[in-house]
Amino acid sequence: MHISETMEAIVSRATIYERHIPHKEFFTDTSGKIEYTLNSLWHRDVELESYSDYTLAVGCSHTFGIGSSTPWPTLIDNCYNAGIPGATVHDMCDVAMGIYKENPYKKLLLFAPHGERMLIEEDGKVQALMPYGSNADRYKMVDIPTKMLYTNRSIEHLQYFCDVNDIELKIICSNSIQFIKQHKDKLVDKGADGVHYGDVTQRNFAGMFNVIK
């Protein structure tokens, strides 16, 4: 599937924001303090074709940078930010592979979201199941180890893809609960929305990849 089709399928699950114009309000951020401008792929970056010999960053809202003026990919030299609010690891694998087909990269940085997120289909529509979402109770019969099983299988497939294509892969936060416990000292400020993380924490995220500017 072409990356534009992949992104359209992912974005269609939520509110679709207009591209190429600055947004003062974006999902949880209604502070009006930060502008969010989306490119043609709904990514918070310039157009993908402007990059060459580059690093790709994939992740959820913490990579996209809701509440932050400097998401961690912007602190890494020549790094394209393909972060997607609400994305699952499965989405990130699809996006990483789709982007590679269109514009190959040398390095892939994956800041995985809640590993227990999973994709579900309701009424013919695919959506991401959030662990604390309104419909989470309906899927309690699927335990977290089972959800993590499918998440880890997706990551293994991505690792194989990277090995075959000689792509350097770095992953942090493959399990959100463990990540928060292990890195409390790095989660130091809140973003403008009071939900996500601020600029200081975003810099700490970039530092975890050991490739910060």
Side-chain angles (χ1 to χ4, degrees), residues 54-59 72 80 82 92-93 95-97 105-111 158-159 161-162 167-171 209:
Y54 69 108
T55 296
L56 177 67
V58 291
W72 65 263
Y80 179 81
M92 295 172 198
C93 294
V95 168
M97 294 178 186
Y105 44 84
K106 299 291 187 179
K107 183 182 295 184
L108 175 61
L109 307 180
L110 170 63
F111 192 162
L158 184 63
Q159 289 173 324
F161 174 83
C162 290
I167 300 168
E168 180 182 349
L169 172 64
K170 291 189 176 183
I171 302 174
F209 286 106

Coordinates of all heavy atoms in Angstrom, one line a residue, residues 54-59 72 80 82 92-93 95-97 105-111 158-159 161-162 167-171 209:
Y54 N 18.5 10.2 5.3 CA 17.9 10.7 6.5 C 17.6 9.7 7.6 O 17.7 8.4 7.3 CB 16.7 11.6 6.2 CG 15.5 10.7 5.7 CD1 14.4 10.5 6.5 CD2 15.5 10.2 4.5 CE1 13.3 9.8 6.1 CE2 14.4 9.4 4.0 CZ 13.3 9.2 4.8 OH 12.3 8.5 4.4
T55 N 17.2 10.1 8.7 CA 16.7 9.3 9.8 C 15.1 9.4 9.9 O 14.6 10.5 9.8 CB 17.3 9.7 11.1 OG1 18.7 9.4 11.1 CG2 16.7 8.8 12.3
L56 N 14.4 8.3 10.1 CA 13.0 8.3 10.2 C 12.6 8.1 11.7 O 13.1 7.2 12.3 CB 12.3 7.3 9.3 CG 10.8 7.2 9.5 CD1 10.1 8.4 8.9 CD2 10.3 5.9 8.8
A57 N 11.7 8.9 12.2 CA 11.2 8.7 13.6 C 9.7 8.4 13.5 O 9.0 9.1 12.8 CB 11.4 10.0 14.4
V58 N 9.4 7.3 14.1 CA 8.0 6.9 14.2 C 7.5 6.7 15.6 O 8.3 6.3 16.5 CB 7.7 5.6 13.4 CG1 7.9 5.8 11.9 CG2 8.6 4.4 13.9
G59 N 6.3 7.1 15.9 CA 5.8 7.0 17.2 C 4.3 7.6 17.3 O 3.7 7.8 16.3
W72 N 10.8 15.6 20.0 CA 12.2 15.0 20.0 C 12.8 14.8 18.6 O 14.0 15.0 18.5 CB 12.2 13.7 20.9 CG 11.5 12.5 20.4 CD1 10.2 12.2 20.8 CD2 11.9 11.5 19.4 NE1 9.8 11.0 20.2 CE2 10.8 10.6 19.3 CE3 13.0 11.4 18.7 CZ2 10.9 9.5 18.5 CZ3 13.1 10.3 17.8 CH2 12.1 9.4 17.7
Y80 N 13.1 12.9 10.0 CA 11.7 13.2 9.6 C 10.8 12.6 10.7 O 10.9 11.5 11.1 CB 11.4 12.5 8.3 CG 10.0 12.7 7.8 CD1 9.6 13.8 7.1 CD2 9.1 11.6 8.0 CE1 8.3 14.0 6.7 CE2 7.8 11.8 7.5 CZ 7.4 13.0 6.9 OH 6.1 13.1 6.4
A82 N 7.5 11.2 11.7 CA 6.3 10.5 11.2 C 5.4 10.1 12.4 O 4.7 9.1 12.3 CB 6.7 9.3 10.4
M92 N 2.8 2.0 13.3 CA 4.1 2.5 13.0 C 4.9 1.6 12.1 O 5.7 2.1 11.3 CB 4.8 2.6 14.4 CG 4.2 3.6 15.3 SD 5.0 3.6 16.9 CE 3.7 4.5 17.9
C93 N 4.7 0.3 12.2 CA 5.4 -0.6 11.3 C 4.9 -0.4 9.9 O 5.7 -0.4 9.0 CB 5.1 -2.1 11.8 SG 5.9 -2.5 13.4
V95 N 3.7 2.3 8.6 CA 4.2 3.6 8.1 C 5.6 3.6 7.8 O 6.1 4.1 6.8 CB 3.9 4.7 9.2 CG1 4.6 6.0 8.9 CG2 2.4 5.0 9.3
A96 N 6.4 2.9 8.7 CA 7.9 2.8 8.5 C 8.2 2.1 7.2 O 9.0 2.5 6.4 CB 8.5 2.1 9.6
M97 N 7.4 1.0 6.9 CA 7.7 0.2 5.7 C 7.2 1.0 4.4 O 7.8 1.0 3.4 CB 7.0 -1.1 5.8 CG 7.6 -2.0 6.8 SD 6.7 -3.6 6.9 CE 7.5 -4.3 8.4
Y105 N 15.4 5.3 3.9 CA 16.2 6.0 5.0 C 17.2 5.0 5.5 O 17.2 3.8 5.2 CB 15.2 6.4 6.1 CG 14.2 5.4 6.5 CD1 14.5 4.3 7.4 CD2 12.9 5.4 6.0 CE1 13.6 3.3 7.7 CE2 12.0 4.4 6.3 CZ 12.3 3.4 7.2 OH 11.4 2.4 7.5
K106 N 18.2 5.6 6.2 CA 19.3 4.8 6.7 C 19.1 4.3 8.2 O 19.7 3.3 8.6 CB 20.6 5.7 6.7 CG 21.0 6.1 5.3 CD 21.4 5.0 4.4 CE 22.0 5.5 3.1 NZ 22.4 4.4 2.2
K107 N 18.3 5.1 8.9 CA 18.1 4.8 10.3 C 16.7 5.0 10.7 O 16.0 5.9 10.2 CB 19.0 5.7 11.2 CG 19.0 5.5 12.7 CD 19.9 6.5 13.4 CE 21.3 6.3 13.1 NZ 22.2 7.2 13.9
L108 N 16.2 4.1 11.6 CA 14.8 4.2 12.0 C 14.8 4.2 13.6 O 15.4 3.4 14.2 CB 14.0 2.9 11.6 CG 12.6 2.8 12.0 CD1 11.7 4.0 11.6 CD2 12.0 1.5 11.6
L109 N 14.1 5.3 14.1 CA 14.0 5.4 15.5 C 12.5 5.2 15.9 O 11.6 5.9 15.4 CB 14.4 6.8 15.9 CG 15.8 7.3 15.5 CD1 16.1 8.7 16.0 CD2 16.9 6.3 16.0
L110 N 12.2 4.2 16.8 CA 10.9 3.9 17.2 C 10.7 4.2 18.6 O 11.3 3.6 19.5 CB 10.6 2.4 16.9 CG 9.3 1.8 17.5 CD1 8.1 2.5 16.8 CD2 9.3 0.3 17.2
F111 N 9.8 5.2 18.9 CA 9.4 5.5 20.3 C 8.0 4.9 20.4 O 7.0 5.5 20.1 CB 9.4 7.0 20.5 CG 9.3 7.4 22.0 CD1 9.6 8.7 22.3 CD2 8.8 6.5 22.9 CE1 9.5 9.1 23.7 CE2 8.7 6.9 24.2 CZ 9.0 8.2 24.6
L158 N 9.3 -5.9 12.0 CA 10.0 -4.6 11.6 C 11.5 -4.8 11.8 O 12.2 -4.3 10.9 CB 9.5 -3.5 12.5 CG 10.1 -2.1 12.2 CD1 9.6 -1.7 10.8 CD2 9.6 -1.1 13.2
Q159 N 11.9 -5.5 12.8 CA 13.3 -5.8 12.9 C 13.9 -6.6 11.8 O 15.0 -6.3 11.3 CB 13.6 -6.5 14.3 CG 13.4 -5.6 15.5 CD 13.5 -6.4 16.8 OE1 13.0 -7.6 16.8 NE2 14.0 -5.8 17.8
F161 N 12.6 -6.6 8.7 CA 12.6 -5.7 7.6 C 13.8 -4.8 7.6 O 14.4 -4.6 6.6 CB 11.3 -4.8 7.7 CG 11.2 -3.7 6.6 CD1 10.8 -4.0 5.4 CD2 11.6 -2.4 7.0 CE1 10.7 -3.0 4.4 CE2 11.5 -1.4 6.0 CZ 11.1 -1.7 4.7
C162 N 14.2 -4.3 8.8 CA 15.4 -3.5 8.9 C 16.6 -4.3 8.6 O 17.6 -3.8 8.0 CB 15.4 -2.8 10.3 SG 14.2 -1.5 10.5
I167 N 19.0 -1.3 7.6 CA 18.6 -0.1 8.3 C 18.9 -0.3 9.8 O 18.6 -1.3 10.4 CB 17.0 0.1 8.2 CG1 16.6 0.2 6.7 CG2 16.6 1.3 8.9 CD1 15.1 0.1 6.5
E168 N 19.5 0.8 10.3 CA 19.8 0.8 11.7 C 18.5 1.1 12.5 O 17.9 2.1 12.3 CB 20.9 1.8 12.1 CG 21.3 1.9 13.5 CD 22.3 2.9 13.9 OE1 22.9 3.5 12.9 OE2 22.5 3.2 15.1
L169 N 18.2 0.2 13.4 CA 16.9 0.4 14.2 C 17.2 0.6 15.7 O 18.0 -0.2 16.3 CB 16.0 -0.9 14.0 CG 14.8 -0.9 14.9 CD1 13.8 0.2 14.5 CD2 14.1 -2.3 14.7
K170 N 16.6 1.6 16.2 CA 16.7 1.9 17.7 C 15.3 2.0 18.2 O 14.5 2.7 17.7 CB 17.5 3.1 18.0 CG 19.0 3.0 17.7 CD 19.8 4.2 18.2 CE 21.3 4.0 18.0 NZ 22.1 5.2 18.5
I171 N 15.0 1.3 19.3 CA 13.7 1.3 19.9 C 13.8 1.7 21.4 O 14.7 1.2 22.1 CB 13.0 -0.1 19.8 CG1 12.9 -0.5 18.4 CG2 11.6 0.0 20.5 CD1 12.4 -1.9 18.2
F209 N 18.1 8.3 22.5 CA 18.5 7.6 21.3 C 20.0 7.9 21.0 O 20.6 7.3 20.0 CB 17.7 8.2 20.1 CG 16.3 7.7 20.0 CD1 15.3 8.5 20.4 CD2 16.0 6.4 19.7 CE1 13.9 8.0 20.4 CE2 14.7 5.9 19.6 CZ 13.7 6.7 20.0

